[in-house]
Structures are given as C-alpha cells and as structure tokens.
Amino acid sequence: MVRHLDFHETKTDDYDEIKLPKDYTLFTKNRQKFKKKSGGIIIIYKKKLSHILKFINSESEFVQWVEILHGNFDTGKDILLGCVYIPPEFSRYSSDESFSEIEDELIRFSNTSKEVALIGDFNSRTSIDSDHVIPDENLLEILQVEDDVINKDIFSYLLLESKNIPLQRYSYDQGRVNKYGTLLLELCKRCGIFICNGRIFSDKFIGHTTCKDSSVVDYLIVSPHMFDYISEFRVDEFNPMFSDVHNSIFFTLSFNTDSNYTDKVNTEKNTGNTETHIKWDCRKADEYFQALSSDSVSGNLQHIDHVLSTIDTNNFTPEKINGLVDDLGNVLLDTAEGVLGKTKKRPVYPDRKNKPWQTYIDICYNKNSSKLNTDNKFIWLMSNEHANVCRNISRFLSLSIFYKTDSKATEKLSS
C-alpha cells in the first residue's frame, strides 16, 4: 500500500526553506521562466518510500513525473505518476501548449510496460462530457481500415466495462466546458486514460466539486489497469489549512508486496547473504514423492501432459518449448520448496545429481535455419509415477530423458 505521498501546487521558489517532520522529505519543481516568485509543484513523501520512487527531470513546468518502481510489488510494471498544475486559462502563467507538453512527455516516459496516472489541478471544467471514444466497428469494416493503423487505446473503454466501472461520468459541475476542459478530454481520448472523479468508490455516481464548492477542476486520471490498484478514492471537505479554495483529493494505491523482495530484505538483515537454495534431504524423499502425487500438483503435471499430447508439431517454436519446460520446472521446484524449505546458499557449487526435483534442459537453436538442432538436448526428471509426461516430452522434443527411481537408479526412457 502506498500512502503518505502528497502532491501540491506551491508558491515557493528555490530559495525557500521548508520544514517538515523528520520522517518526511520533498521534491520541488519551481517555475524558472519568471523573475518574480511564481510557485510550482511540490511532492512530499515519507523517507521510507525513497527506494521505490524515481523522479524524472523534464522540460515542462506543468508536470513533475515520478515512477513507482515495480521491483517491490506484484504489479509487474512500473507506474508513472504525473503531478500536474496548469495555471488558470487567463492568468499570466497560462499557456495553450500546456496540455500538448504533458501529452508529449507522457508518451515519451511511458511505454507498454508502464501504467499511468495524472493527479492535480488542471483548471479544466469538463462537465459530464465523454473522456473516451467508442469506435463504430461497422464503419471501420466498411472503410477496410487495417488494424495496424488503429490506435488501440480507443478500445480501452472495454476494460472499464469489464471492471464494472461506469463509462458515463457524474459531476455536480455541469456548467459550460471551458477551453482547458476540451483540451483535457481530447488528451484522455488520444491516450486512452480515464477520469476517476464521479466513477469510483465514495464519489461514484456523484462527482463532488473540488473548487469553491461550485466547479470540478482537480482530477485523478488513470490508465485502465490502474483501477485495479486503487483501493480508495474520495474528495475531502474543504480545509483552509491545505488550500485557499481547493478540496483535497485522497486516493490509495494498494499492491501486494513481492514475496521474493521481502525474503531478500529479511535475509539481508538476518544473514547478510541474499542467496538461498533448496537443499535435498534424503530422509524426506517419501514425503516429497507423496507431495508430487497430491491432487493439486498431479493436476498441473497432467495439464502439461495434455498440452504436449495435443500440440501441433508442425507449428512450434523454441519459445513454446522453453515455456513448457519452465512450467514443468516450476511445479517440481515449488513442490520441493514446500517440503524442504530454503537454506542459505554455500559458495560451493551444489551437486545436481542428488537433487531429483531439478530440471535441466539445454536447447541448441540453429540460427541458420528454422529447425531445432536436436543435439545436446538433455532433460533430467524424477519419479516413475509420471513416466507418461516424460515420454511425451521426449517424443515431442526428441530429447534424451532420464528419471530418478526410488532406488536412485537412473533409467533411460525410450520415446
């Protein structure tokens, strides 16, 4: 869960000294184009979050980008947060290029591996106008528009429907859409991102005002999959301690902590060595083989066996083979870890021959042809209880397959 990460517009400059509680620190981006103090953006966060935050330097003075690094969480992707402040439309600090600058940098800093969120004061009144486009698929078919020329983001609205999030936004502010509101809605449509206000949690079907109790100009805007990580969203009551006219927007991002990262940190603290491995214990051989025969593990092996027996041998690639072998190895290793646990790894290279859960494969791919080179292919398994799986792998990959019997004899299976 990520909390205690606050975004604010400020009236500070580089020479101001800001005092914070000892557990907090900050990052500022002040305007540089004006001689007088004109403020900017400030991000205040707990020091313990420093190792997961990466601040990005960029040219635009309207947004400060910060990445939440996914290495500590189960997202599988870095999350790109943009803290935004766009001055009012007719102020001396306003710029018609503000939205295009934000869009250009969003595209530059994000890619297929990043989720995106924008938070802040956009000074944009959008009423309840649509922030997405629903394409006419019949028209696309009639015009014979190729898939590779269609912006895939225009179909991202389908993800909201699958998450039971209403496409129609709600808002207490249903007045005229201003110029900046139109620019913001166009940005959302082009980038496939969606306004959270009026759509989720306590603000769902409501759309509370965020400024002077009359308009909505502050937003949380996210890419579709980001909705999976938002566990709380609300517009707080106005508090003059935090702003002159704006209500605070509060939201929580929740992630499952990566267990591998947690184990690594704990091991570093306790042993000073992060490397662990599964140590084979002959006394637990029977327990291990019984675990392999359990319904859950046996079902996984049967699934792999089924995939191998139904695969099209005329349409396979090294990647598919590697995937099957990885799946099989994970089943064996996970079972071993459940029975034996992990111990601190010694610097001596382990003796592979006495570890029946280990799976080894060395697939040589001939770069000069599309065929697999069947030389030097070797996979080593255990337990004659799953000989059919072994035979199928052997038949499909033309491998020499060996398995460990209860008597610790090694027997070659004919394919």
Side-chain angles (χ1 to χ4, degrees):
M1 182 177 293
V2 176
R3 282 186 174 176
H4 306 292
L5 183 65
D6 299 317
F7 306 85
H8 294 279
E9 61 186 90
T10 72
K11 295 180 174 65
T12 61
D13 62 18
D14 293 340
Y15 300 101
D16 286 319
E17 181 179 348
I18 302 174
K19 294 183 179 181
L20 297 171
K22 64 179 182 179
D23 293 335
Y24 288 82
T25 185
L26 57 83
F27 186 95
T28 60
K29 187 173 192 176
N30 298 313
R31 296 191 192 96
Q32 305 295 330
K33 296 180 180 179
F34 300 91
K35 294 182 179 180
K36 294 184 178 180
K37 179 186 291 190
S38 58
I41 298 168
I42 185 170
I43 300 174
I44 301 172
Y45 58 97
K46 273 202 166 184
K47 292 179 180 178
K48 68 179 183 180
L49 298 178
S50 298
H51 67 288
I52 67 169
L53 301 179
K54 177 184 176 183
F55 293 91
I56 301 175
N57 293 323
S58 66
E59 297 178 359
S60 177
E61 295 187 341
F62 303 106
V63 59
Q64 173 58 52
W65 301 101
V66 54
E67 284 183 356
I68 299 179
L69 304 178
H70 80 278
N72 308 319
F73 304 108
D74 66 345
T75 61
K77 300 179 180 180
D78 293 339
I79 293 176
L80 181 67
L81 294 179
C83 177
V84 176
Y85 174 63
I86 297 178
E89 187 175 341
F90 300 107
S91 75
R92 68 169 67 180
Y93 307 117
S94 65
S95 170
D96 291 342
E97 304 301 320
S98 55
F99 287 90
S100 60
E101 287 182 16
I102 292 173
E103 182 176 354
D104 289 344
E105 292 191 349
L106 185 152
I107 294 172
R108 189 196 322 165
F109 296 131
S110 66
N111 50 49
T112 55
S113 65
K114 285 191 179 73
E115 299 298 346
V116 176
L118 300 176
I119 177 70
D121 178 5
F122 293 79
N123 273 298
S124 304
R125 298 184 66 179
T126 60
S127 185
I128 55 173
D129 285 13
S130 178
D131 56 357
H132 61 280
V133 175
I134 299 180
D136 187 333
E137 297 189 45
N138 292 327
L139 181 60
L140 295 176
E141 185 176 349
I142 292 172
L143 297 176
Q144 297 182 342
V145 179
E146 299 293 337
D147 290 343
D148 57 356
V149 300
I150 298 176
N151 183 350
K152 298 299 188 297
D153 287 333
I154 66 175
F155 293 102
S156 57
Y157 73 93
L158 296 173
L159 292 172
L160 267 68
E161 292 182 337
S162 67
K163 301 176 190 298
N164 197 29
I165 297 173
L167 289 177
Q168 176 62 52
R169 292 191 299 116
Y170 290 79
S171 176
Y172 280 166
D173 178 11
Q174 298 190 19
R176 180 183 63 86
V177 176
N178 64 3
K179 178 181 178 180
Y180 280 5
T182 300
L183 292 175
L184 177 59
L185 293 172
E186 290 176 353
L187 183 151
C188 292
K189 293 173 183 177
R190 285 194 296 269
C191 297
I193 53 180
F194 297 86
I195 295 172
C196 293
N197 304 54
R199 275 196 171 115
I200 57 175
F201 294 100
S202 63
D203 203 40
K204 189 173 184 178
F205 304 129
I206 298 175
H208 287 290
T209 56
T210 65
C211 182
K212 298 181 179 179
D213 200 27
S214 62
S215 61
V216 177
V217 295
D218 306 273
Y219 300 92
L220 172 63
I221 307 173
V222 301
S223 53
H225 289 294
M226 276 294 294
F227 285 104
D228 296 333
Y229 306 121
I230 300 174
S231 59
E232 190 174 4
F233 175 87
R234 68 174 184 265
V235 177
D236 287 335
E237 295 289 333
F238 171 70
N239 188 332
M241 291 183 62
F242 297 117
S243 176
D244 50 356
V245 294
H246 291 271
N247 300 58
S248 297
I249 290 181
F250 178 90
F251 69 100
T252 301
L253 298 179
S254 297
F255 314 102
N256 291 324
T257 303
D258 189 323
S259 59
N260 293 330
Y261 173 79
T262 303
D263 290 343
K264 180 178 179 180
V265 172
N266 291 338
T267 306
E268 281 182 330
K269 290 181 179 179
N270 298 330
T271 67
N273 188 340
T274 63
E275 295 185 322
T276 59
H277 75 301
I278 304 169
K279 184 177 181 180
W280 176 244
D281 186 347
C282 295
R283 294 170 297 180
K284 294 187 177 181
D286 291 338
E287 184 180 350
Y288 175 66
F289 292 130
Q290 288 176 5
L292 280 175
S293 302
S294 65
D295 292 340
S296 58
V297 178
S298 181
N300 291 333
L301 291 172
Q302 289 175 8
H303 172 71
I304 296 172
D305 184 30
H306 174 72
V307 172
L308 288 168
S309 63
T310 58
I311 198 166
D312 182 6
T313 56
N314 295 320
N315 184 26
F316 66 88
T317 63
E319 289 76 14
K320 291 182 180 179
I321 296 172
N322 290 340
L324 288 171
V325 174
D326 286 342
D327 290 343
L328 180 59
N330 289 335
V331 171
L332 304 178
L333 286 169
D334 291 344
T335 304
E337 182 177 350
V339 174
L340 304 169
K342 284 190 173 183
T343 59
K344 181 179 176 180
K345 189 173 182 179
R346 296 180 180 180
V348 180
Y349 193 77
D351 180 9
R352 293 180 173 180
K353 294 182 180 179
N354 292 324
K355 296 176 175 55
W357 66 85
Q358 293 273 13
T359 303
Y360 304 96
I361 184 166
D362 180 14
I363 296 180
C364 300
Y365 186 69
N366 187 346
K367 295 181 180 179
N368 297 324
S369 70
S370 60
K371 296 182 179 180
L372 283 172
N373 181 353
T374 57
D375 296 335
N376 300 323
K377 297 192 184 77
F378 174 77
I379 190 169
W380 190 71
L381 300 170
M382 74 319 114
S383 179
N384 52 10
E385 296 177 8
H386 302 291
N388 288 333
V389 177
C390 300
R391 289 192 181 94
N392 274 328
I393 296 177
S394 177
R395 186 182 305 112
F396 177 61
L397 302 181
S398 299
L399 299 177
S400 296
I401 296 185
F402 299 84
Y403 70 94
K404 191 86 170 176
T405 63
D406 292 346
S407 62
K408 297 186 179 180
T410 302
E411 176 183 342
K412 182 175 180 179
L413 295 175
S414 58
S415 55

